Amino acid sequence: MADQGALKANRKWLKIATRVVWVGFVLGIVGFPLYIWSVSVNLNNWFGELPSYSQLENPEQNLTSMLYTADGVPLGSGYFRDNRNPVTYDELGPNLVNALLAAEDIRFQSHSGIDLESMFRVAFGVLTFSPRGGGSTISQQLAKNLFRTRVINDDEKGKLEGKIGVLDQLIYKTKEWILSVRLERSYTKEEIMAMYYNTVEFGNNAFGIKSAAKTYFGKLPSELSVPEAAVLAGMQKGVTTFRPDINPESSKWRRNVVMSQMVKYDFLAQDAFDTLRVQDIDLSEFKQQDHNQGLAQYFREEARKELRVLASNLGYDLYGDGLKIYTTIDSRMQGYAEEAVDSAMTRVQHLFDSLLLKEGRDLWIDSKGRELDDFFDDFVVPRSTAYRNLVNKYGEDSDSVNYYLNKKKKLTVFSWQGEIDTLMSSLDSMRYYKQFLQTGFMATNPQTGAIKAWVGGINFKHFKFDHVQHGKRQPGSLFKPFVYATAVEQGYSPCYTFKDEAVTINVPGQDEPWSPQNAESRFSGEEMTMKLAMARSVNSITARVMDIVKPEKVSSMAKRVGIKSTIPPYYSIALGTEDVSLHEVIGAYGTFANKGTHIEPYYIDRIEDKFGNEIYRHVPRKSRAISEDVAYIMLNMLQETAKSGSGRGLAWTYGLVDLAQKQNEIGAKTGTTQNASDGWFVAVTKDLVAGAWVGGDDRAIHFTRWPDGQGARTAMPIVGIFMQKVYADESLGIEKSFFDRPAQLNMEIDCARFEQVLAPKDTTDNIIFEDDIY
């Protein structure tokens, strides 16, 4: 009986087991596909939405928008949220392909998105508590990277997500299975591998293999060696853990694991592996890609501000749509400009520092060289970011503000001999950085308005302010050509003569007359032409010309030729008292070189979308400002500065003008403010207009003596060195040349043949000469 009972019990359990097997079989055959289908259609919103087929074929990625020079050189690392520059499969090279296959998915070419063998291996490892690696294919990892299946916003969650941890993982994995199969149906294997390498992160702000290869090894992906490719492929097991710059030993270990897998699958010979495995990772070319690296850093930042708005107006995202932006900058000329700034400013700064030390004075002085004792505390500190942040945090009267301003901390600071690691307080840092003189430099093609070089300061990493477009300062004598151009336009020959003597002008509506002084506060008494007076920047004669032509006409002239800043019709503007930017000055001088037609300087030539379709092309903004005759006469007058005036260093020091052989025509003008806080210089040729400004961050930072800070000494060397390099580079196609003389020029300009030419009319009634006062 007992045996019969046991037999009945065994039969009962056999039936139960059979039913369980059948139920499991039915569930496996019917239920699992039904589950997969439910996830794919998000049944009852239990699982969350999957990307549509349209999204699958056009996955959204943040692609880097790249700037290119006119000669095809990439400028910096571009504009990005994720520093990502996509590559095609052909651009990967075999080493990267083989390293990824060996490390992640050796059956990639044979499966359809899901590797069943790997899945069973993983499942068996879990059941036996002996994990044997991951089972995700390259396609599954791509699905996870592209569509962020495991990073879901609350409004994107299904009803079951976020409830049960194990269930969440199953849902996420299921989504990746479905998407990987769909990816395999939508793309070729080569496209999937390229997309994978384009989507993964490598640390150091490098997204995608092209950025990673550039960042860590300074190479294109196809140029990577086997060990280098193994380093980058191996990082995907843990980017931070295996980053070669911060964890070199871990990265080396992981690299060797990948290379051993390459040996296993016959991608690498054993003897080659034995040699390579002992080598350290070479990071001699490592350079984090950021906006402090590469050419034209100031220019790139200024271009970014305009491009962000321009791209938005065109319906694009500058930081994510992978635009190709072609600029007018020439990489060779930009390089020469930066070299010229470094060379010239090193010497100018040395002179300034040595005089500061010799004079034993504070940094801030007034126009007479007297120290401004409270300037730092009253003006510099309150305007600083450090002070404002502390006040916002602790309150203006809190002792904490003063405590933290004086607290020493580790800093890396700029010097002309290289960066210095030091201890400084915020106040120390303010004083230290204020001692550096700054500069701005720009060069354009006057015939097209295309900007060819742009340097906004001495070092973008440490001094972000751009002095080309935003650093408006008084131009001094640089403004005088607009006064003389007005006179020429009114019919006054450049050969008309004046006497250099003290002058006092009664200004309507003012109690005090205007009595401008010459640069060195003395008058020669010499009779000289307008041409010579402009070349020598004689204030007394410029003032007399201003009184003849009237301030309203000069203000109008400045605006017509390209000065955008407000220039009120005051007599004093003749001497450059109103602030202007270098950018607008170069554009205005370009009007003379472009035969009287003003072209607004520009730097964006055209823009293409990520597919290469042109979405924008610049249309030059032109306007007839002055006649061709007036423009040529002004060029002729500006040449006198390079021959006998303050710009003669272009010939004697830099050899740009051969006065004897007349091999080149260059017009030039210097500008220096009264207290020598601003030094300017502009040179004009037929094919190039180049100019520079030099001065302190504050107007109270300047040389004590006017001659030391004059534009011919501070700014001209930048322009001279730049043009020397440009002329020496035959690949640029810029040669020494002559201005085009109008065929029917109706005014005498050869002033050497005349002692004096009568003025068309005399309007000097309100000028009081010094001799007449007594």
Side-chain angles (χ1 to χ4, degrees), residues 753-771:
R753 296 162 50 192
F754 295 87
E755 291 184 356
Q756 183 171 347
V757 177
L758 294 178
K761 56 183 178 179
D762 187 2
T763 58
T764 61
D765 294 342
N766 62 335
I767 297 179
I768 303 175
F769 295 101
E770 190 172 58
D771 288 344

Side-chain angles (χ1 to χ4, degrees), residues 124-140:
F124 182 78
V126 171
L127 293 173
T128 60
F129 301 100
S130 56
R132 301 186 179 184
S136 292
T137 63
I138 292 174
S139 303
Q140 287 174 248

Side-chain angles (χ1 to χ4, degrees), residues 484-516:
Y484 289 100
T486 307
V488 171
E489 188 174 63
Q490 292 184 11
Y492 287 83
S493 164
C495 303
Y496 180 67
T497 62
F498 292 91
K499 188 175 183 180
D500 175 22
E501 58 186 354
V503 58
T504 298
I505 300 175
N506 292 318
V507 179
Q510 292 187 15
D511 295 333
E512 297 292 329
W514 184 44
S515 301

Side-chain angles (χ1 to χ4, degrees), residues 60-67 77-86 205 207 211 291 299-325 607-610 615:
E60 292 185 5
Q61 294 185 63
N62 285 324
L63 302 180
T64 300
S65 293
M66 287 298 299
L67 278 179
S77 53
Y79 307 117
F80 53 81
R81 289 189 187 88
D82 304 332
N83 184 17
R84 193 191 313 275
N85 293 295
N205 209 25
F207 294 82
S211 296
H291 299 302
F299 166 77
R300 281 153 35 199
E301 174 59 17
E302 290 308 305
R304 180 192 65 82
K305 298 172 186 176
E306 179 179 336
L307 286 166
R308 182 178 58 185
V309 177
L310 178 57
S312 178
N313 291 340
L314 293 170
Y316 290 86
D317 176 11
L318 177 64
Y319 304 107
D321 282 343
L323 304 178
K324 294 180 180 179
I325 303 150
I607 303 175
E608 296 177 356
D609 65 15
K610 63 183 178 181
I615 60 174

Side-chain angles (χ1 to χ4, degrees), residues 629-701:
D629 284 3
V630 172
Y632 180 77
I633 291 169
M634 291 312 302
L635 291 175
N636 181 266
M637 293 178 69
L638 288 167
Q639 289 178 65
E640 191 65 37
T641 302
K643 293 177 182 177
S644 62
S646 53
R648 55 189 179 276
L650 289 178
W652 305 119
T653 306
Y654 302 103
L656 302 180
V657 185
D658 189 328
L659 298 177
Q661 300 297 322
K662 296 183 180 180
Q663 294 178 339
N664 196 26
E665 287 187 338
I666 294 181
K669 193 71 191 79
T670 57
T672 312
T673 51
Q674 188 173 12
N675 64 356
S677 62
D678 302 279
W680 301 74
F681 188 83
V682 174
V684 183
T685 71
K686 181 179 179 180
D687 301 314
L688 198 64
V689 178
W693 164 88
V694 174
D697 265 339
D698 300 318
R699 297 175 200 256
I701 299 173

Side-chain angles (χ1 to χ4, degrees), residues 37-80:
W37 173 81
S38 299
V39 174
S40 68
V41 299
N42 189 24
L43 184 66
N44 199 32
N45 195 30
W46 284 337
F47 309 101
E49 291 288 345
L50 282 173
S52 66
Y53 280 96
S54 175
Q55 291 172 310
L56 200 69
E57 293 180 359
N58 298 281
E60 292 185 5
Q61 294 185 63
N62 285 324
L63 302 180
T64 300
S65 293
M66 287 298 299
L67 278 179
Y68 296 91
T69 64
D71 51 325
V73 177
L75 277 177
S77 53
Y79 307 117
F80 53 81

Side-chain angles (χ1 to χ4, degrees), residues 524-733:
S524 67
E526 177 185 352
E527 287 278 347
M528 63 181 73
T529 63
M530 287 202 308
K531 180 191 289 190
L532 190 59
M534 191 181 84
R536 296 182 181 178
S537 289
V538 181
N539 289 348
S540 64
I541 294 178
T542 306
R544 294 189 64 187
V545 175
M546 170 59 98
D547 194 51
I548 293 171
V549 301
K550 301 307 178 189
E552 292 80 7
K553 296 292 185 181
V554 174
S555 178
S556 173
M557 171 64 70
K559 184 176 181 180
R560 278 189 282 147
V561 297
I563 299 298
K564 306 299 181 185
S565 298
T566 301
I567 307 295
Y570 303 151
Y571 275 81
S572 59
I573 65 174
L575 307 184
T577 56
E578 298 301 316
D579 289 355
V580 295
S581 71
L582 179 64
H583 184 277
E584 56 192 323
V585 165
I586 298 300
Y589 274 68
T591 303
F592 298 142
N594 194 38
K595 302 179 180 180
T597 297
H598 173 67
I599 300 183
E600 188 70 22
Y602 73 100
Y603 47 75
I604 304 301
D605 183 34
R606 71 183 192 281
I607 303 175
E608 296 177 356
D609 65 15
K610 63 183 178 181
F611 303 110
N613 301 310
E614 186 175 293
I615 60 174
Y616 171 82
R617 181 173 288 273
H618 177 75
V619 177
R621 294 191 288 270
K622 302 180 180 181
S623 62
R624 168 59 68 180
I626 53 178
S627 70
E628 186 174 346
D629 284 3
V630 172
Y632 180 77
I633 291 169
M634 291 312 302
L635 291 175
N636 181 266
M637 293 178 69
L638 288 167
Q639 289 178 65
E640 191 65 37
T641 302
K643 293 177 182 177
S644 62
S646 53
R648 55 189 179 276
L650 289 178
W652 305 119
T653 306
Y654 302 103
L656 302 180
V657 185
D658 189 328
L659 298 177
Q661 300 297 322
K662 296 183 180 180
Q663 294 178 339
N664 196 26
E665 287 187 338
I666 294 181
K669 193 71 191 79
T670 57
T672 312
T673 51
Q674 188 173 12
N675 64 356
S677 62
D678 302 279
W680 301 74
F681 188 83
V682 174
V684 183
T685 71
K686 181 179 179 180
D687 301 314
L688 198 64
V689 178
W693 164 88
V694 174
D697 265 339
D698 300 318
R699 297 175 200 256
I701 299 173
H702 54 85
F703 289 92
T704 304
R705 295 176 61 252
W706 186 90
D708 294 324
Q710 62 180 302
R713 179 166 291 186
T714 61
M716 184 171 67
I718 299 175
V719 178
I721 294 170
F722 168 76
M723 296 190 73
Q724 265 188 333
K725 293 176 178 291
V726 168
Y727 281 136
D729 188 345
E730 295 181 358
S731 69
L732 290 170

